[in-house]
Amino acid sequence: MPVAASAIYFLNLRGDVLINRLYRDDVGGNMVDAFRTHIMQTKELGTCPVRQIGGCSFFYMRISNVYIVIVVSSNANVACAFKFVVEAVALFKSYFGGAFDEDAIRNNFVLIYELLDEIMDFGYPQNLSPEILKLYITQEGVRSPFSSKPTDRPVPNATLQVTGAVGWRREGLVYKKNEVFLDIVESVNLLMSSKGSVLRCDVTGKILMKCFLSGMPDLKLGLNDKIGLEKESQLKSRPTKSGKTIELDDVTFHQCVNLTRFNSEKTVSFVPPDGEFELMKYRITEGVNLPFRVLPTIKELGRTRMEVNVKIKSVFGAKMFALGVVIKIPVPKQTAKTSFQVTSGRAKYNASIDCLVWKIRKFPGQTEPTMSAEVELISTMAEKKSWTRPPIQMEFQVPMFTASGLRVRFLKVWEKSGYNTVEWVRYITKAGSYEISWFQLLGLGKPCTTRLYQYAKQFDVTG
Amino acid sequence: MAPPAQAHRSPSPSQPSGKGEVSDLKSQLRQLAGSRAPGIDDSKRELFKKVISYMTIGIDVSAVFGEMVMCSATSDIVLKKMCYLYVGNYAKVNPDLALLTINFLQRDCKDEDPMIRGLALRSLCSLRVANLVEYLVGPLGLGLKDNNSYVRTVAVIGVLKLYHISAPTCIDADFPPTLKHLMLNDPDPQVVANCLSALQEIWSLEASTSEEASREREALISKPVIYYLLNRIKEFSEWAQCLVLELVAKYVPLDSNEIFDIMNLLEDRLQHANGAVVLSTIKVFLHLTLSMTDVHQQVYERIKAPLLTLVSSGSPEQSYAVLSHLHILVMRAPFIFASDYKHFYCQYNEPSYVKKLKLEMLTAVANESNTYEIVTELCEYAANVDIPIARESIRAVGKIALQQYDVNAIVDRLLQFLEMEKDYVTAEALVLVKDLLRKYPQWSHDCIAVVGSISSQNVQEPKAKAALIWMLGEYSQDMQDAPYILESLTENWEEEPSAEVRLHLLTAVMKCFFKRPPETQKVLGAALAAGLADFHQDVHDRALFYHRLLQYNVSVAERVVNPPKQAVSVFADTQSSEIKDRIFDEFNSLSVVYQKPSYMFTDKDYRGPFEFSDELGNLSIAAESADNVVPAQGVEANDKDLLLSTSEKEEIRGATFNVSGYSAPLYDSSAASVQSELAIISSTSAGSAPSSSLAIDDLLGLGLSAAPAPEPASVPPSLKLNSKAILDPGTFQQKWRQLPISLSQVYLPFLTLILF
């Protein structure tokens, strides 16, 4: 059985129960107490999201300031359970309109109970599609939509029965203006050495779609990925147009995408759900265009002073710009005083995270701002540990830029009434975990060792 | 269902204590019950909300049951739902009052609105009161035939609920065959899926008593049913797809054509956005191709990309679930993932449970071509702020070294760790250098030079200290200061809290004595004297043993203590391959996450020893505090090992027996390495065994009566030489018999070891 969940709990950070729903009797007594005493109040909390206490297994997940705990007594399917929680949270969010936190739960607990009843019965997941559930569970929920007019009662899952496969879309939708919005959102994960060589790098991207289309439209999306283009030129028996093609390592699609057709023709065709959804996810490891290069240098000036220089180079087009660039440069705990010189943006020392934080609101392409900082350290006797330099971390957003080079070539919409649609496409690249390490800690061979040894010694002296 | 009791904490201001509020509610509800004024529903709603919120925070509001039922006559669907929720929660403790609700629920089951019908039916089945089952059969039968699919989905699960309340009623009403018919014919996929879940549960529970049920259970994985479900798989919701795929994984196709058909049909499921569906598909693929080696290999290649994508998307918890599965696959076929090692690099802010799995996988995929990069990466982690991860990384480096690739470079790194001057790094590195030396004695010169420069004062952790002492003893001929370091350690005998370290110290001094007698003689005397006076039974016994051995014959003693050693060629796995296969069979379930087969954590018989050893742990601690003789730490360590060894019976922990003195320090994760080492030892010293064993029987004061020593129950008494056994013979016999045979088989080499 995939998940025969015995109970589900929503707890706040103190361990108070916000919601509990027991689906089965096979877990004894008050499992939530077991969770509190054996997991929440111990150091074990962060060590593993799956724990066994007595005969029961606990899956737990923290989402903002709420813990969601699923209790099972059998050998359940873990991936399914976590996915269920994630989907359920997405469902709640679509009902609350945004945030999912303790307050939202307290304000909507009747609604949550209602939903919990529908999305899981006796521990088996049922329908979690917001599209369908919103047909009969409304936030106002004043009257049953059916009881007033018994003649035209829309049956839950009606569409499923009629069309056979489109459980995620209602029939009879009408929009005055037919619009589709496509957002290509990529996050770049990077680990770079201080010398600028890339240790590892990958891009995870997703295509988010917002559809406001009437009727039952059939959509087809064309991207500049290699396999798709090759297939197309094969089918049309004409050579691929020159231009950049990219290779996607792996793709996953929303359930609306016709996977059989993707496999045979390599085209992404689908009947979209109404409103917002995630059409596809992909991953790329080869040929990533990095938006930024970071070159840090650090100089130890005696026991209690350091000089940190960081140069950042934006390598995207000169007409583009990045927003919300934040560079966090870790410094030792015993930092006492800092002074900065920056050619762009603002820098300050944040003692709570032990970092120099350099912020640049708008960062044009093809520029090279620098920051130099002087850091003074307190010499303490207590701090004997040497400083394990964590990597420099960077946050940013670059609109209209994709690190993978992915482009939408076309988006075609067919509907039997033949209306015109307006399509909007946006691109944005964000930082995932964009890290630049200070230096190879233990390099290769002997010379590095001695350097390491010296560092350790120096800090000992400081201490 | 018992109402959640108020937890043991003081009520905070936001959580009213209950009593007064409940009676308030009661009177307010009473007022509203009869009223038909407009807007009454809104005030009812407010009250109902209050009742439900009290129920949630654990206040017992069962006192207003009657009033709630009276107020339930309403057409407001939200009110109804709240009322049903309440009734479902308290019916079990108020079976008499539950009868009151039957009436309105039955009426609602015939409502014209399918929502109301469904809700009422679900609530009716959720009452879980045994003497009300007679009222369930009728509405359920109608529900299964309802023309609305929502009602049917509810009714199907309702049948399952009925089965759990009263199995005979459910069987007598002939519901299972109806479900089967529905499963094979219903147009709604959710109804089909629910039928499948219900039938699986019912028939596997019935199978033990009824032959027909077990036949039916088998029929679920017959070709017609499987093909029927597979052909409809695209209609199913993602959860139902998991369910179907799980069933398909159990199906045994007739020939390879069938296998390829199924795989082609399911190929696109690997692209599904739901990780659970992808994992279930992978399970099907892996199980179908088990007998076809080359296709199986291709399957691994095929599933690599989707798995790696799943790992890097979603929340850390989800990637943990996927990683656990990737982990088991990597362990089975490391070479396939060898080129993808960079995917297993840890990111700085990943949670430690993810990092830990990644480290294990990095260790597994290391081969000639990537060892260098992997070890470089691991060395980075050794400086990690997260100390447990830093430790794990160092251990990983050591494990890679033991896998024999590019040992040269690795030994260098390990020695660099020793120079990092961080206590925990030094400690882990020492343990590793010791293991390395056992496998590659040829490195001793390089290692000993560095190890010799480590001050024993800087090493505090027992395992590391024991490792250091073992090296001092083993390589005393190459280390200038060895006798003197041992001497200073012996001088501090009293301050040494760990019995393990003292045991090693004894052995090391003995070894050193045979290599450098003139310098060590004085230390040996001191050590033996200290050992004989030691409070710890094992230390005392070993000292006595060495003492008498030396008296008996010095050259025999040398052969026993310093036999020519072979290098350990393979450190055996901790888990038997049988267990690993069991876990693989249960792919895509908790077994993979816990890394043990499901019977070990779901089966009551196997969970049994948990409570059993708990109780024992208390016993032995009580005994210890009573006579307060044994150093606490040793006993606690023993207890821990006891808990482990009884809960994971397959892994027999050598440490329980404290025989580690002869060999290198044992650490509990390498239980099986004990076995292999024992085998070596018993073979190398077999020559001396016959001559000395009899004498030692006497000398240890342990007759064969102490033979069942490894049985956990007998350890506390064995510390006191069985003078006052805690268990009476009957119970002991019984518990002894519960131990698996493997334990007693393994025990024999242990005995031989103890005896010489």
Side-chain angles (χ1 to χ4, degrees):
Chain A
M1 54 189 91
V3 195
S6 300
I8 184 165
Y9 293 99
F10 293 61
L11 306 173
N12 67 9
L13 297 184
R14 278 199 325 194
D16 299 335
V17 182
L18 303 174
I19 301 272
N20 67 341
R21 184 73 180 86
L22 294 132
Y23 289 107
R24 284 177 171 242
D25 285 337
D26 54 357
V27 291
N30 203 346
M31 294 319 291
V32 73
D33 277 343
F35 179 75
R36 264 198 296 260
T37 48
H38 291 283
I39 300 176
M40 269 190 112
Q41 292 165 358
T42 60
K43 284 181 196 155
E44 309 281 328
L45 192 60
T47 55
C48 184
V50 183
R51 285 291 310 281
Q52 189 194 352
I53 302 167
C56 296
S57 294
F58 290 75
F59 306 114
Y60 58 97
M61 224 172 171
R62 182 175 163 176
I63 288 153
S64 79
N65 53 0
V66 178
Y67 280 103
I68 300 183
V69 187
I70 287 191
V71 188
V72 298
S73 66
S74 54
N75 187 19
N77 180 333
V78 192
C80 205
F82 281 127
K83 181 70 181 173
F84 177 81
V85 174
V86 170
E87 290 281 298
V89 170
L91 173 69
F92 297 148
K93 275 186 183 161
S94 84
Y95 267 96
F96 309 156
F100 175 84
D101 53 24
E102 190 179 343
D103 289 338
I105 293 175
R106 283 194 196 278
N107 295 335
N108 293 287
F109 76 95
V110 174
L111 176 70
I112 295 180
Y113 273 123
E114 263 185 74
L115 288 172
L116 283 177
D117 249 359
E118 293 299 330
I119 61 179
M120 192 171 253
D121 199 358
F122 209 48
Y124 291 109
Q126 304 287 308
N127 195 348
L128 266 85
S129 148
E131 196 53 29
I132 301 294
L133 284 169
K134 278 181 180 164
L135 283 177
Y136 56 95
I137 297 182
T138 50
Q139 196 149 25
E140 296 78 35
V142 185
R143 291 285 180 277
S144 161
F146 314 123
S147 54
S148 48
K149 274 188 252 162
T151 39
D152 63 356
R153 62 172 82 123
V155 197
N157 285 359
T159 47
L160 206 56
Q161 288 176 332
V162 178
T163 59
V166 196
W168 52 86
R169 192 178 176 90
R170 235 174 332 144
E171 277 191 332
L173 289 166
V174 178
Y175 286 97
K176 213 182 262 172
K177 202 174 164 191
N178 290 294
E179 285 182 300
V180 186
F181 298 87
L182 268 183
D183 275 313
I184 288 103
V185 183
E186 297 196 335
S187 55
V188 198
N189 300 309
L190 170 83
L191 183 64
M192 202 189 260
S193 76
S194 54
K195 296 185 193 83
S197 64
V198 176
L199 297 176
R200 62 170 171 272
C201 176
D202 64 275
V203 173
T204 52
K206 50 189 171 187
I207 300 188
L208 302 174
M209 201 163 199
K210 226 184 270 179
C211 277
F212 303 109
L213 295 172
S214 315
M216 275 288 173
D218 217 328
L219 272 66
K220 194 168 155 188
L221 176 72
L223 301 168
N224 61 336
D225 72 300
K226 208 170 162 188
I227 309 167
L229 280 174
E230 273 166 11
K231 193 79 189 180
E232 194 173 292
S233 60
Q234 232 176 57
L235 289 174
K236 293 179 183 162
S237 65
R238 68 158 184 247
T240 321
K241 277 181 221 143
S242 59
K244 203 187 169 223
T245 61
I246 59 156
E247 211 169 326
L248 301 177
D249 280 16
D250 189 50
V251 206
T252 56
F253 293 105
H254 186 268
Q255 55 166 339
C256 70
V257 175
N258 186 331
L259 293 174
T260 326
R261 226 160 121 195
F262 175 76
N263 280 334
S264 60
E265 298 164 31
K266 298 290 168 198
T267 54
V268 183
S269 58
F270 53 99
V271 178
D274 195 38
E276 212 176 324
F277 68 103
E278 187 182 289
L279 178 66
M280 63 181 267
K281 273 193 289 213
Y282 56 90
R283 188 166 53 86
I284 289 172
T285 42
E286 297 297 322
V288 176
N289 313 314
L290 291 175
F292 292 101
R293 295 204 165 258
V294 182
L295 300 164
T297 48
I298 183 166
K299 252 187 257 165
E300 313 259 351
L301 307 168
R303 300 172 172 189
T304 57
R305 276 179 59 221
M306 291 180 2
E307 203 180 275
V308 181
N309 283 299
V310 180
K311 182 159 81 178
I312 302 186
K313 211 168 155 179
S314 54
V315 276
F316 44 87
K319 282 180 190 159
M320 289 192 272
F321 51 85
L323 296 174
V325 179
V326 180
I327 302 108
K328 290 181 190 158
I329 303 137
V331 288
K333 259 199 161 22
Q334 62 268 40
T335 299
K337 216 174 120 191
T338 50
S339 60
F340 299 96
Q341 276 189 316
V342 288
T343 59
S344 171
R346 279 180 175 184
K348 62 175 187 207
Y349 167 58
N350 185 334
S352 62
I353 51 170
D354 296 315
C355 278
L356 306 178
V357 181
W358 179 19
K359 288 184 183 169
I360 304 170
R361 204 173 294 157
K362 198 169 167 181
F363 195 137
Q366 304 296 338
T367 52
E368 267 189 49
T370 56
M371 179 198 80
S372 52
E374 233 172 72
V375 179
E376 279 181 39
L377 307 173
I378 318 166
S379 55
T380 53
M381 298 302 288
E383 195 69 32
K384 224 197 149 189
K385 275 185 214 156
S386 66
W387 176 44
T388 59
R389 311 180 176 196
I392 296 177
Q393 289 181 304
M394 197 167 168
E395 294 163 21
F396 55 79
Q397 294 190 351
V398 193
M400 298 323 281
F401 172 83
T402 49
S404 63
L406 189 81
R407 282 276 176 275
V408 173
R409 292 187 304 127
F410 59 81
L411 177 69
K412 292 177 187 157
V413 182
W414 282 282
E415 218 279 335
K416 51 180 185 286
S417 63
Y419 52 72
N420 285 324
T421 44
V422 188
E423 297 106 17
W424 305 89
V425 183
R426 274 197 304 191
Y427 301 91
I428 192 163
T429 294
K430 295 179 183 171
S433 87
Y434 208 81
E435 300 175 343
I436 298 94
S437 63
W438 281 103
F439 66 118
Q440 290 281 96
L441 187 70
L442 280 174
L444 326 166
K446 282 288 173 193
C448 278
T449 331
T450 46
R451 193 177 60 190
L452 171 87
Y453 195 57
Q454 278 164 7
Y455 275 119
K457 275 282 179 250
Q458 268 180 16
F459 277 94
D460 271 352
V461 174
T462 323
Chain B
M1 171 178 10
Q6 177 80 29
H8 310 284
R9 59 209 142 88
S10 56
S12 59
S14 66
Q15 297 187 343
S17 59
K19 284 243 165 98
E21 283 82 354
V22 173
S23 58
D24 264 9
L25 276 177
K26 197 168 176 145
S27 60
Q28 285 176 4
L29 279 168
R30 215 170 262 264
Q31 275 172 15
L32 289 179
S35 165
R36 292 197 180 276
I40 194 82
D41 280 348
D42 291 332
S43 29
K44 272 190 191 171
R45 262 197 194 192
E46 285 312 307
L47 275 180
F48 273 36
K49 266 191 189 174
K50 248 187 208 163
V51 173
I52 302 286
S53 70
Y54 285 173
M55 189 175 90
T56 302
I57 57 177
I59 296 171
D60 183 4
V61 281
S62 60
V64 297
F65 200 98
E67 285 73 16
M68 285 293 280
V69 175
M70 278 197 273
C71 281
S72 62
T74 171
S75 57
D76 185 318
I77 198 160
V78 177
L79 265 183
K80 265 188 199 301
K81 282 183 183 169
M82 286 199 267
C83 187
Y84 292 158
L85 179 71
Y86 173 87
V87 169
N89 240 349
Y90 287 112
K92 204 173 180 187
V93 283
N94 286 320
D96 303 336
L97 285 171
L99 192 62
L100 293 174
T101 61
I102 291 287
N103 219 348
F104 75 75
L105 282 173
Q106 274 189 324
R107 199 184 55 223
D108 282 351
C109 281
K110 292 181 186 124
D111 199 280
E112 58 177 12
D113 181 347
M115 280 306 297
I116 306 263
R117 290 206 298 276
L119 279 175
L121 192 57
R122 186 190 295 145
S123 312
L124 197 58
C125 298
S126 303
L127 291 180
R128 285 174 275 196
V129 181
N131 54 5
L132 296 182
V133 286
E134 52 188 303
Y135 300 101
L136 292 186
V137 178
L140 269 181
L142 289 177
L144 289 174
K145 290 191 206 87
D146 201 291
N147 61 7
N148 185 288
S149 60
Y150 177 74
V151 183
R152 290 200 303 277
T153 50
V154 172
V156 171
I157 294 291
V159 170
L160 182 59
K161 289 177 188 165
L162 171 65
Y163 178 81
H164 281 278
I165 308 166
S166 163
T169 319
C170 179
I171 304 290
D172 291 345
D174 247 4
F175 280 137
T178 321
L179 289 192
K180 191 178 175 187
H181 178 79
L182 266 185
M183 181 179 80
L184 296 176
N185 295 294
D186 201 281
D188 186 279
Q190 192 60 47
V191 176
V192 176
N194 284 358
C195 284
L196 181 59
S197 328
L199 285 177
Q200 275 187 314
E201 246 187 75
I202 293 176
W203 277 332
S204 27
L205 287 170
E206 279 292 297
S208 54
T209 51
S210 142
E211 235 173 73
E212 196 202 330
S214 66
R215 252 202 319 282
E216 289 287 2
R217 190 177 57 167
E218 292 309 309
L220 278 182
I221 43 175
S222 66
K223 191 167 169 177
V225 178
I226 294 284
Y227 275 40
Y228 163 76
L229 291 171
L230 277 177
N231 283 329
R232 294 189 65 175
I233 195 149
K234 290 188 180 113
E235 301 168 29
F236 288 119
S237 73
E238 42 198 322
W239 320 106
Q241 288 186 12
C242 294
L243 190 74
V244 171
L245 290 170
E246 202 62 32
L247 188 74
V248 175
K250 288 187 199 142
Y251 174 63
V252 186
L254 290 174
D255 53 32
S256 55
N257 284 339
E258 231 187 316
I259 293 178
F260 290 123
D261 281 351
I262 295 177
M263 284 172 54
N264 282 328
L265 186 73
L266 293 179
E267 165 79 16
D268 55 19
R269 295 299 107 191
L270 290 174
Q271 233 97 43
H272 203 285
N274 185 329
V277 173
V278 178
L279 281 177
S280 305
T281 314
I282 289 175
K283 179 175 182 175
V284 173
F285 278 32
L286 290 173
H287 283 214
L288 284 180
T289 56
L290 262 183
S291 55
M292 310 153 90
T293 323
D294 46 338
V295 186
H296 198 62
Q297 205 92 306
Q298 285 171 24
V299 168
Y300 273 103
E301 292 287 353
R302 173 68 187 85
I303 62 182
K304 219 158 73 172
L307 272 175
L308 293 172
T309 307
L310 280 179
V311 169
S312 58
S313 60
S315 65
E317 290 85 356
Q318 283 174 290
S319 30
Y320 174 71
V322 179
L323 267 179
S324 314
H325 289 87
L326 190 57
H327 179 258
I328 172 177
L329 296 178
V330 167
M331 293 304 162
R332 282 178 83 87
F335 52 94
I336 290 178
F337 295 89
S339 55
D340 303 283
Y341 62 93
K342 282 198 175 162
H343 286 283
F344 307 136
Y345 282 0
C346 301
Q347 273 159 33
Y348 186 70
N349 41 15
E350 273 170 339
S352 59
Y353 51 83
V354 168
K355 284 186 185 162
K356 229 178 132 183
L357 279 179
K358 284 191 167 178
L359 286 180
E360 281 180 38
M361 288 191 275
L362 274 179
T363 319
V365 298
N367 65 11
E368 286 91 344
S369 55
N370 59 21
T371 299
Y372 192 72
E373 275 99 54
I374 291 181
V375 172
T376 309
E377 180 76 13
L378 286 173
C379 291
E380 296 267 326
Y381 306 152
N384 202 307
V385 258
D386 186 354
I387 292 177
I389 290 302
R391 283 174 182 272
E392 290 283 344
S393 323
I394 300 170
R395 270 177 231 157
V397 173
K399 273 188 212 153
I400 292 177
L402 293 178
Q403 283 167 8
Q404 246 168 352
Y405 304 114
D406 199 7
V407 190
N408 238 328
I410 300 174
V411 172
D412 258 12
R413 304 291 170 84
L414 276 179
L415 296 180
Q416 288 170 28
F417 285 142
L418 289 179
E419 290 169 357
M420 267 172 80
E421 298 195 343
K422 280 187 191 170
D423 293 349
Y424 60 92
V425 175
T426 315
E428 289 296 335
L430 271 177
V431 175
L432 284 177
V433 170
K434 178 263 299 173
D435 280 341
L436 269 182
L437 286 179
R438 289 170 60 205
K439 183 157 179 177
Y440 310 108
Q442 68 270 29
W443 289 103
S444 60
H445 277 284
D446 303 66
C447 296
I448 291 313
V450 183
V451 170
S453 66
I454 293 173
S455 159
S456 59
Q457 259 109 42
N458 292 346
V459 183
Q460 286 310 323
E461 284 173 44
K463 271 181 186 121
K465 209 165 181 177
L468 179 64
I469 292 172
W470 181 81
M471 285 187 273
L472 284 171
E474 196 63 35
Y475 298 96
S476 42
Q477 74 277 19
D478 303 326
M479 285 159 120
Q480 270 293 303
D481 305 339
Y484 308 103
I485 301 174
L486 288 174
E487 185 170 9
S488 72
L489 284 167
T490 312
E491 275 165 16
N492 294 327
W493 187 278
E494 299 290 323
E495 279 104 72
E496 179 52 58
S498 160
E500 191 191 353
V501 174
R502 297 201 299 274
L503 283 169
H504 278 286
L505 190 52
L506 263 180
T507 310
V509 172
M510 277 292 274
K511 284 180 184 165
C512 188
F513 171 71
F514 289 114
K515 285 168 185 157
R516 297 163 72 171
E519 292 155 285
T520 322
Q521 196 171 13
K522 204 179 119 212
V523 194
L524 180 64
L528 284 178
L532 284 171
D534 201 281
F535 287 128
H536 195 277
Q537 194 65 52
D538 292 335
V539 180
H540 172 80
D541 284 356
R542 188 175 294 175
L544 191 63
F545 165 51
Y546 283 148
H547 181 65
R548 296 201 181 157
L549 195 59
L550 286 170
Q551 278 182 335
Y552 171 72
N553 183 337
V554 177
S555 63
V556 170
E558 182 168 12
R559 262 186 293 148
V560 170
V561 176
N562 265 345
K565 283 195 185 60
Q566 294 166 1
V568 181
S569 58
V570 183
F571 284 84
D573 251 321
T574 42
Q575 253 172 349
S576 73
S577 60
E578 187 200 344
I579 296 232
K580 282 183 187 159
D581 286 345
R582 273 300 264 280
I583 298 174
F584 184 67
D585 280 343
E586 291 170 342
F587 194 81
N588 200 16
S589 72
L590 269 175
S591 314
V592 177
V593 175
Y594 291 149
Q595 299 183 12
K596 50 185 167 185
S598 62
Y599 70 86
M600 286 195 193
F601 58 91
T602 53
D603 206 334
K604 284 259 168 11
D605 297 337
Y606 275 87
R607 276 211 327 270
F610 248 115
E611 287 94 358
F612 167 60
S613 54
D614 250 341
E615 163 207 328
L616 269 172
N618 295 338
L619 264 183
S620 61
I621 287 166
E624 175 233 319
S625 56
D627 38 34
N628 208 5
V629 177
V630 189
Q633 196 173 340
V635 170
E636 261 157 38
N638 272 347
D639 281 350
K640 251 174 225 152
D641 284 332
L642 280 181
L643 289 178
L644 285 170
S645 56
T646 44
S647 60
E648 297 161 48
K649 283 177 180 169
E650 270 68 7
E651 298 175 36
I652 297 106
R653 311 274 159 145
T656 319
F657 314 107
N658 268 320
V659 293
S660 45
Y662 185 77
S663 52
L666 305 164
Y667 52 98
D668 52 12
S669 66
S670 63
S673 78
V674 177
Q675 297 180 24
S676 64
E677 190 182 305
L678 286 179
I680 289 164
I681 290 164
S682 51
S683 65
T684 50
S685 46
S688 60
S691 58
S692 54
S693 67
L694 273 177
I696 286 153
D697 266 355
D698 281 337
L699 154 161
L700 287 179
L702 291 167
L704 274 179
S705 65
E711 210 285 333
S714 71
V715 170
S718 86
L719 289 176
K720 285 173 274 160
L721 287 180
N722 282 336
S723 57
K724 29 182 179 171
I726 290 171
L727 291 169
D728 65 84
T731 351
F732 177 74
Q733 281 275 314
Q734 199 189 347
K735 289 186 171 164
W736 173 234
R737 234 178 284 131
Q738 285 167 355
L739 286 175
I741 302 154
S742 60
L743 190 62
S744 50
Q745 280 169 345
V746 171
Y747 175 60
L748 287 176
F750 273 120
L751 242 197
T752 40
L753 183 79
I754 291 171
L755 294 182
F756 59 83

